[in-house]
């Protein structure tokens, strides 16, 4: 009968254990049913103590048994006391309300429940050990019959089953699992409600104090402490994967929302879609601001937040979490835009674009090393490294080819109006930009890096020597182009215009580099070719009225002058003098040379002129016509931007011509 009862008890305990896993009240049922058993156990142990109370000659043996039973009674009584505490904790954990408002108290309740379960199983284990000692002692000394030993064994079985139930509830019981789910839900809600996109306007720098403050404090301190507490608690149960996934989802969306207000359509466009150089420069300028914003503000915030929330995890999960957020935010799209520029066709303006891109990457280098230095960000690191390599190699290659590129343009034709060739204006202004404080340090650094990659020593003055070579090639081109004109006078106008253009470089970076002697020499050449022009043109026709010719009458000489003037005027009608001051000076010299002599001649032969006034120019009409010559068909050259005196179509034509030359080399 005792064996049947023992079997029934074992079966009841097994059912209790199964029920604890299947529903949230399993542990409560197990503990409720085990409570009376513990009370029964207490009574049986007391009864056992009385039954085998020592007497006569067996005092020592019975005293030993009594001590073992007394030691088992203490842990058994503790089990009874902890059961009440566990039932109260269960009520709090099983509450339908979510712990958003008082997360710390809820986490504390979970911890108390876990500690109670540990205390319960520990005391069960201790009582079992002492009772097993009693059993061993009784069986070894034959101081009690099988009936008493069976009662002790049954008590041990009950405690073992209770211990097993507690251990399973502490590891993966449905009650704790449900509590962890509530924490996960609270984590997502707290994070979502506290996440707000960073603001950025094109009128402000991304490194303003306000944005720096936002980056320093991605979430308020109380919110961070809540998230940290939830993660730490879930980590004790190996339940952080869900929180990490939620964090990546919420913060990736927040990063995208931070960029949503920006006009990022240009990132998707191919380089060939930009028809105008200034359009491309504008996109790169926007890219530089947006790149700095996403790295210094958006991703800096996410990096800091990932470390704050998941930094306590031994697995280093926070770095992988940040890497996924960075990729989802679109940082690779920004890098691909830079790569598309680096892989585009070669052109002079591409060099400036590459230097702009390098400047941005260099400014953000420390940030990139800090944010993307871990193995989790290998994709970003690899693309960034490839981009830097292409930028440095591409910029260096174009820079070294510039003199040869200018030389290859020597075969082209000079402008038909004798003005400054677009190539000359473009290249001189281009050199000015390369020497500007915004580009020269970057260019020097790029060349230094490129030389280092080739294990070559960088020599100071490398940039200036290359500029000298470019200017020399331009000078050779001008000489060749001047010889292509059929009319000497137009050739002189051409040289006069170009020497004047070089003289106007005084005060610019290129002019300062070339020096005053170089500038003064061009000024002298300008005067020289001005004199040649006057002698070759108006000086020749002036001879018809200033030199006596007995073979021709005054009327014939006057008619010859007017015909020569008319022919000369028509030939020069489409010639230009770009510089306004030079143009005014030429007008003045021509008027001074012709008008007084013509006026004097008309006065001298007044009678003849009065009879033929319909054939000859008046002094006023002559002067008016002279002042209409050389009107520039283009805007006066300035050195503010590349090809600023050119229309967009003209500027692109020059660049396309260069691009063809560079590509062919």
């Amino acid at each position: 009968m005792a064996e049947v009862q023992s079997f029934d008890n074992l079966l009841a305990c097994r059912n209790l254990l199964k029920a604890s896993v299947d529903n949230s009240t399993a542990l409560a049922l197990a503990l409720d049913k085990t409570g009376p058993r513990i009370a029964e156990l207490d009574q049986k142990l007391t009864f056992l103590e009385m039954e085998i109370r020592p007497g006569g000659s067996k005092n020592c043996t019975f005293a030993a048994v009594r001590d073992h039973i007394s030691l088992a009674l203490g842990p058994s009584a503790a089990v009874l006391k902890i059961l009440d505490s566990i039932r109260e904790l269960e009520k709090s954990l099983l509450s339908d309300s979510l712990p958003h408002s008082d997360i710390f108290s809820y986490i504390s309740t979970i911890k108390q429940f876990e500690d109670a379960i540990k205390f319960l199983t520990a005391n069960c284990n201790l009582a079992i050990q002492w009772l097993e000692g009693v059993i061993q002692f009784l069986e070894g000394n034959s101081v009690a019959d099988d009936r008493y030993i069976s009662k002790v064994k049954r008590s041990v079985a009950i405690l073992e089953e209770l211990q097993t139930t507690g251990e399973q509830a502490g590891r993966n019981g449905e009650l704790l699992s449900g509590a962890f789910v509530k924490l996960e839900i609270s984590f997502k809600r707290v994070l979502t409600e506290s996440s707000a996109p960073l603001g950025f306007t094109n009128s402000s720098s991304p490194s303003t104090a306000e944005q720096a403050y936002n980056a320093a404090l991605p979430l308020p301190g109380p919110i961070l402490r809540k998230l940290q507490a939830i993660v730490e608690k879930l980590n004790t149960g190996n339940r952080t994967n869900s929180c990490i996934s939620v964090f990546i989802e919420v913060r990736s969306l927040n990063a995208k929302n931070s960029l949503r207000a920006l006009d990022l359509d240009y990132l998707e466009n191919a380089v060939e879609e930009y028809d105008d150089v200034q359009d491309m420069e504008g996109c790169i300028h926007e890219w530089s601001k947006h790149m700095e914003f996403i790295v210094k503000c958006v991703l800096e915030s996410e990096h800091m937040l990932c470390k704050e929330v998941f930094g306590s995890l031994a697995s280093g999960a926070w770095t992988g979490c940040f890497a996924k957020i960075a990729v989802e935010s679109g940082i690779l799209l920004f890098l691909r835009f830079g790569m598309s520029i680096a892989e585009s066709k070669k052109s002079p303006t591409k060099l400036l674009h590459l230097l702009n891109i390098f400047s941005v990457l260099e400014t953000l280098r420390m940030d990139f090393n800090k944010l993307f230095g871990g193995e989790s960000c290998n994709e970003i690191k690899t693309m960034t490294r490839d981009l830097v390599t292409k930028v440095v190699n591409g910029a260096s290659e174009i820079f070294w080819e510039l003199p040869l590129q200018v030389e290859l343009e020597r075969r082209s034709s000079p402008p038909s109006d004798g003005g400054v060739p677009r190539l000359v204006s473009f290249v001189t202004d281009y050199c000015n930009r390369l020497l500007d404080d915004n580009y020269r340090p970057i260019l020097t650094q790029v060349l230094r890096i490129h030389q280092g990659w080739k294990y070559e020593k960088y020599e100071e003055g490398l940039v200036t020597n290359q500029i000298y070579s470019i200017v020399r090639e331009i000078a050779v081109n001008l000489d060749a182009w001047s010889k292509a004109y059929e009319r000497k006078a137009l050739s002189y106008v051409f040289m006069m215009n170009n020497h004047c253009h070089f003289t106007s470089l005084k005060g610019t970076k290129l002019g300062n580099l070339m020096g005053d002697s170089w500038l003064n020499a061009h000024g002298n050449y300008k005067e020289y070719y001005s004199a040649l022009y006057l002698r070759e043109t108006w000086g020749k026709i002036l001879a018809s009225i200033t030199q006596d010719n007995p073979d021709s009458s005054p009327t014939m000489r006057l008619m010859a002058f007017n015909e020569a003037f008319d022919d000369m005027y028509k030939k020069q009608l489409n010639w230009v003098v770009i510089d306004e001051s030079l143009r005014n000076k030429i007008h003045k010299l021509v008027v001074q040379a012709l008008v007084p002599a013509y006026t004097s001649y008309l006065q001298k032969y007044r009678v003849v002129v009065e009879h033929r006034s319909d054939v000859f120019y008046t002094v006023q009409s002559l002067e008016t016509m002279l002042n209409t010559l050389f009107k520039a068909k283009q805007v006066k050259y300035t050195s503010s931007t590349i090809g600023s005196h050119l229309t967009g179509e003209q500027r692109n034509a020059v660049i396309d011509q260069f691009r063809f030359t560079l590509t062919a080399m």
Side-chain angles (χ1 to χ4, degrees), residues 502-534:
F502 289 128
T503 305
S504 69
L505 295 175
K506 184 175 183 179
T508 66
K509 295 293 183 179
L510 180 58
N512 294 338
L513 174 67
M514 302 306 296
D516 290 339
S517 60
W518 183 83
L519 293 170
N520 293 334
H522 282 290
N524 293 334
Y525 277 118
K526 178 185 68 174
E527 299 297 331
Y528 171 72
Y529 284 107
S530 297
L532 288 180
Y533 160 75
L534 290 173

Side-chain angles (χ1 to χ4, degrees), residues 532-547:
L532 288 180
Y533 160 75
L534 290 173
R535 188 179 66 185
E536 181 68 21
T537 55
W538 307 109
K540 289 184 175 181
I541 69 171
L542 190 61
S544 60
I545 59 174
T546 57
Q547 297 178 4

Side-chain angles (χ1 to χ4, degrees), residues 262-302:
L262 309 179
D263 184 8
L264 301 179
D265 292 342
Y266 66 88
L267 295 178
E268 303 286 353
N269 296 335
V271 176
E272 292 77 9
E273 295 181 20
Y274 295 96
D275 297 328
D276 192 274
V277 175
Q278 290 183 340
D279 289 343
M280 175 58 71
E281 290 180 348
C283 288
I284 293 177
H285 178 66
E286 289 297 300
W287 175 84
S288 66
K289 293 193 299 181
H290 297 162
M291 187 72 163
E292 190 171 352
F293 174 68
I294 188 176
V295 173
K296 284 186 172 291
C297 294
V298 177
L299 294 184
E300 174 67 25
S301 296
E302 300 306 326

Side-chain angles (χ1 to χ4, degrees), residues 303 318-319 322-323 365-382 384-385:
H303 184 269
W318 75 271
T319 55
F322 169 73
R365 180 166 56 89
M366 298 301 294
D367 299 277
F368 266 71
N369 292 340
K370 172 186 173 183
L371 299 178
F372 312 121
E375 292 184 2
S376 301
C377 296
N378 277 340
E379 184 179 8
I380 299 175
K381 283 195 299 184
T382 300
T384 304
R385 184 169 54 249

Side-chain angles (χ1 to χ4, degrees), residues 118-136:
K118 291 178 183 178
F119 187 75
L120 176 66
T121 55
N123 278 275
C124 286
N125 183 57
L126 186 59
I128 289 169
Q129 291 178 10
W130 286 113
L131 289 178
E132 286 178 343
V134 170
I135 294 171
Q136 185 178 4

Side-chain angles (χ1 to χ4, degrees), residues 454-485:
K454 297 192 301 181
Y455 302 100
E456 297 178 1
K457 182 180 179 181
Y458 177 82
E459 297 181 1
E460 297 297 333
L462 188 150
V463 173
T464 56
N465 289 337
Q466 189 75 344
I467 297 297
Y468 288 145
S469 298
I470 295 173
V471 173
R472 280 196 298 269
E473 294 301 331
I474 293 176
V476 176
N477 283 9
L478 290 176
D479 287 338
W481 288 332
S482 67
K483 296 174 182 177
Y485 289 105

Side-chain angles (χ1 to χ4, degrees), residues 3-15:
E3 293 179 357
V4 172
Q5 186 177 3
S6 176
F7 177 78
D8 292 339
N9 289 335
L10 289 173
L11 183 60
C13 290
R14 184 181 65 82
N15 292 335

Side-chain angles (χ1 to χ4, degrees), residues 485-505:
Y485 289 105
E486 295 181 359
R487 296 187 178 92
K488 286 185 178 181
L490 183 56
S491 173
Y492 297 151
V493 170
F494 172 77
M495 296 301 285
M496 180 175 59
N497 272 318
N498 283 276
H499 285 296
C500 182
H501 170 71
F502 289 128
T503 305
S504 69
L505 295 175

